[in-house]
Amino acid sequence: MGQYVGAIDQGTTGSRFVIVDEHGAFVSIAHKEHEQILPKPGWVEHSPSEILKNTLDVISEALDAAGMQASDLAGVGITNQRETTVIWDRRSGEAVSNAIVWQDTRTADFARSLAGTFGADAFRQKTGLPPATYFSGPKIRWILDQHPGLGQRAIDGELAFGTIDSWLAWHVTGRHVTDVTNASRTMLMDLGSLSWDQELCDAIGVPMSMLPEILPSIGDFGPCRGVLEGTRLTTILGDQHAALVGQAAFGVGDTKVTYGTGVFLLSNTGAEIVHSNSGLLTTVGYQFAGEPATYALEGSVAIAGAGVQWLRDNMGIISSAEEIESLASSVPDNGDVYFVPAFSGLFAPHWRDDARGVLVGLTRYSNKGHLARAVLEATAFQAKDVVDAMVADTGIDLAELRVDGGMVANTLLMGFQADILGIDVVVPSITDTTVLGAAFGAGIEAGVWSGVEDVPHLRQEAVRYRPTMDAGVRDRYLRGWSKAIDRSLNWIEP
Ligand SMILES: Nc1ncnc2c1ncn2[C@@H]1O[C@H](COP(=O)(O)OP(=O)(O)OP(=O)(O)O)[C@@H](O)[C@H]1O
Ligand SMILES: [Mg+2]
């Protein structure tokens, strides 16, 4: 029998377990969606117990389907939606409330007050992040403040905080751990020392006793138990960082853009911590045990595929995500309609929590085809904005863009993306790079592959989209987009 590794991909919309063989082929996959709990405008929650149960279920399902046992896996990796915040009771292992999801905007006032008191640059310098609703620290404080007595219990050491990776690792290994990539999204970790920072914790009001141990992403997290008894946890990587590894973006300047729930550009900056002047974040790319961390610049866009899901679930205009392509193709162009999906405010490069979604340019002529087109085009415009920011920061023009994620199946979107960027857009043969990255990490640590040079060569080009749009037309689109962004700002009043 060959060698196998497992990867848990716990995402914003669902949980997956994938078994990968030594050639990098997917042998077995199981998937389950979980509920999006939307109690108020701008609020997004998940049930930690549902996520845990679904994760354990898909592990069992995928193992059963392959006729395998956990002990057949050389190692297992976790990759996860980042920043989403869980607090649980150390004794019972039960969460004290729903998880507050990364897209949730309820901490806007608090984030603004942090910027006011300490200055946005204080956080940027140490953590690579501006104070924003996106990150975990303010979400921790919010949960502690909402439930009487929790603050004291946290100080007394009775409560544990974790992002989703920690929550799952706690239950599969019994250890309270996280990795450097997930920790770099909390506003609590010093990027240089890769450790929790007392000043940051004091500023946000998070007792350090709640925090997990920070470990390298690709390393030994210990033996598993329960459904994974017989194997070891050998990787934890935030989903976007796993995609960087899955695209084998190990060289300085290697850049990928993932199109899923949101759009996330990551560009490898090597051992150097590069601070952005253009609204990008600085984050840990990944870290192998015993080696220094590799850093990255990141352009995070909250809503991309989630806008497609919104058309499907909230508006009922399409019945599946794929259907958006035929609907959008029913019209020759956007009919001058623009959509800014600022559902969670705007992340990179704007960082405006006062923005909300707008649909502009409507006339009697507009129809649902134009709306579908505007939703798709918004994804391409947002990606263009973060690519421009990256080029401004690094001074290096991109020759082509390496893309992945669920939305790259959409040929209309990818063609428009190439047109709007004016460079080739390259889709690899395996677009599921998140789960692949977690599997590669897990397999390298477990000895299935001897190092990054040895991982199966999967960076195979499947499709290349070349720009064909005339520059004048492109400029007109970009002017329309820029006006639409202006219209989305200043909606929420402080
Ligand atoms: N053909 C398509 N056209 C447009 N959007 C699509 C298409 N197929 C899938 N999507 C969108 O892509 C997203 C799913 O992609 P993917 O699984 O990569 O997302 P993700 O961000 O990893 O999700 P999660 O956070 O749950 O892991 C969904 O938001 C879906 O609406
Ligand atoms: Mg995902």
Side-chain angles (χ1 to χ4, degrees):
M1 189 154 132
Q3 285 196 291
Y4 298 92
V5 292
I8 296 169
D9 176 11
Q10 202 307 300
T12 308
T13 57
S15 312
R16 259 179 332 155
F17 190 69
V18 178
I19 300 172
V20 175
D21 72 13
E22 63 205 48
H23 310 292
F26 291 12
V27 175
S28 183
I29 305 180
H31 176 258
K32 215 166 179 173
E33 285 203 3
H34 59 263
E35 187 187 355
Q36 305 296 314
I37 303 165
L38 309 167
K40 294 185 191 183
W43 289 32
V44 187
E45 300 178 357
H46 291 160
S47 156
S49 58
E50 183 189 10
I51 282 181
L52 175 62
K53 180 179 185 305
N54 287 0
T55 301
L56 299 178
D57 285 353
V58 293
I59 293 171
S60 301
E61 256 178 65
L63 283 169
D64 287 350
M68 293 169 75
Q69 296 184 322
S71 55
D72 296 324
L73 304 174
V76 168
I78 293 177
T79 181
N80 58 289
Q81 55 167 322
R82 307 170 301 168
E83 300 96 8
T84 297
T85 297
V86 188
I87 296 178
W88 66 93
D89 181 315
R90 287 183 188 276
R91 248 182 329 199
S92 69
E94 305 265 348
V96 302
S97 70
N98 276 339
I100 303 185
V101 175
W102 58 277
Q103 297 161 324
D104 190 294
T105 59
R106 75 185 68 181
T107 54
D109 289 344
F110 183 47
R112 222 169 293 134
S113 79
L114 286 173
T117 311
F118 301 96
D121 280 351
F123 288 95
R124 267 198 180 277
Q125 268 310 315
K126 247 189 200 171
T127 68
L129 314 172
T133 59
Y134 185 17
F135 309 111
S136 313
K139 299 182 198 287
I140 300 175
R141 190 62 241 167
W142 194 93
I143 296 175
L144 294 180
D145 285 343
Q146 283 312 297
H147 302 266
L150 285 186
Q152 190 55 48
R153 291 182 60 204
I155 292 168
D156 295 343
E158 291 176 24
L159 302 180
F161 151 75
T163 38
I164 293 290
D165 55 303
S166 289
W167 168 245
L168 296 177
W170 171 280
H171 288 277
V172 297
T173 68
R175 293 180 71 191
H176 190 205
V177 290
T178 189
D179 89 300
V180 287
T181 67
N182 279 290
S184 77
R185 319 296 299 185
T186 57
M187 285 174 64
L188 302 172
M189 188 187 83
D190 182 313
L191 265 186
S193 68
L194 303 174
S195 54
W196 302 120
D197 184 272
Q198 182 78 57
E199 271 175 22
L200 293 168
C201 292
D202 289 348
I204 300 178
V206 174
M208 286 180 94
S209 58
M210 303 178 72
L211 303 176
E213 183 185 354
I214 304 174
L215 295 171
S217 318
I218 296 161
D220 190 17
F221 292 87
C224 299
R225 55 191 197 185
V227 292
L228 284 175
E229 173 102 45
T231 186
R232 300 182 81 83
L233 183 61
T234 51
T235 282
I236 295 180
L237 279 162
D239 52 8
Q240 301 310 321
H241 315 261
L244 196 68
V245 171
Q247 282 265 26
F250 297 118
V252 174
D254 284 356
T255 300
K256 68 87 195 173
V257 179
T258 302
Y259 298 74
T261 300
V263 162
F264 297 89
L265 173 149
L266 265 78
S267 185
N268 185 327
T269 63
E272 199 189 341
I273 297 177
V274 178
H275 286 282
S276 174
N277 295 313
S278 315
L280 300 182
L281 308 176
T282 308
T283 196
V284 179
Y286 52 83
Q287 185 187 21
F288 285 86
E291 293 178 24
T294 294
Y295 294 92
L297 276 170
E298 172 174 325
S300 337
V301 170
I303 307 292
V308 178
Q309 288 172 325
W310 174 83
L311 268 195
R312 183 194 64 188
D313 301 337
N314 298 43
M315 298 293 115
I317 286 174
I318 46 176
S319 56
S320 71
E322 299 73 50
E323 220 179 284
I324 193 173
E325 184 157 4
S326 52
L327 183 56
S329 302
S330 68
V331 291
D333 56 35
N334 68 7
D336 210 25
V337 173
Y338 291 81
F339 176 64
V340 181
F343 298 166
S344 301
L346 288 169
F347 287 13
H350 311 283
W351 300 106
R352 290 289 294 260
D353 58 35
D354 59 315
R356 283 298 178 271
V358 292
L359 181 63
V360 293
L362 297 176
T363 61
R364 187 68 204 268
Y365 169 77
S366 316
N367 63 36
K368 59 186 179 180
H370 298 115
L371 173 56
R373 204 149 182 127
V375 167
L376 280 185
E377 290 181 357
T379 294
F381 290 130
Q382 293 185 102
K384 157 88 173 149
D385 288 345
V386 291
V387 167
D388 284 353
M390 213 270 292
V391 170
D393 273 341
T394 60
I396 301 165
D397 275 329
L398 272 186
E400 58 183 37
L401 193 68
R402 256 147 71 179
V403 302
D404 55 57
M407 285 189 98
V408 304
N410 194 301
T411 59
L412 185 68
L413 169 62
M414 290 296 111
F416 187 75
Q417 184 70 81
D419 279 341
I420 282 300
L421 287 169
I423 57 173
D424 287 7
V425 167
V426 181
V427 181
S429 51
I430 294 189
T431 57
D432 215 337
T433 52
T434 298
V435 77
L436 207 56
F440 283 172
I444 290 171
E445 173 64 24
V448 174
W449 301 294
S450 58
V452 296
E453 290 75 27
D454 189 34
V455 296
H457 213 73
L458 295 168
R459 240 167 77 183
Q460 246 176 39
E461 182 175 325
V463 196
R464 175 175 290 260
Y465 294 87
R466 297 176 199 279
T468 57
M469 188 180 276
D470 157 306
V473 176
R474 179 160 70 231
D475 287 348
R476 204 171 63 236
Y477 273 115
L478 293 174
R479 272 202 312 280
W481 171 249
S482 158
K483 284 191 287 182
I485 287 279
D486 280 345
R487 302 296 192 275
S488 76
L489 304 177
N490 297 309
W491 185 259
I492 298 293
E493 292 170 5

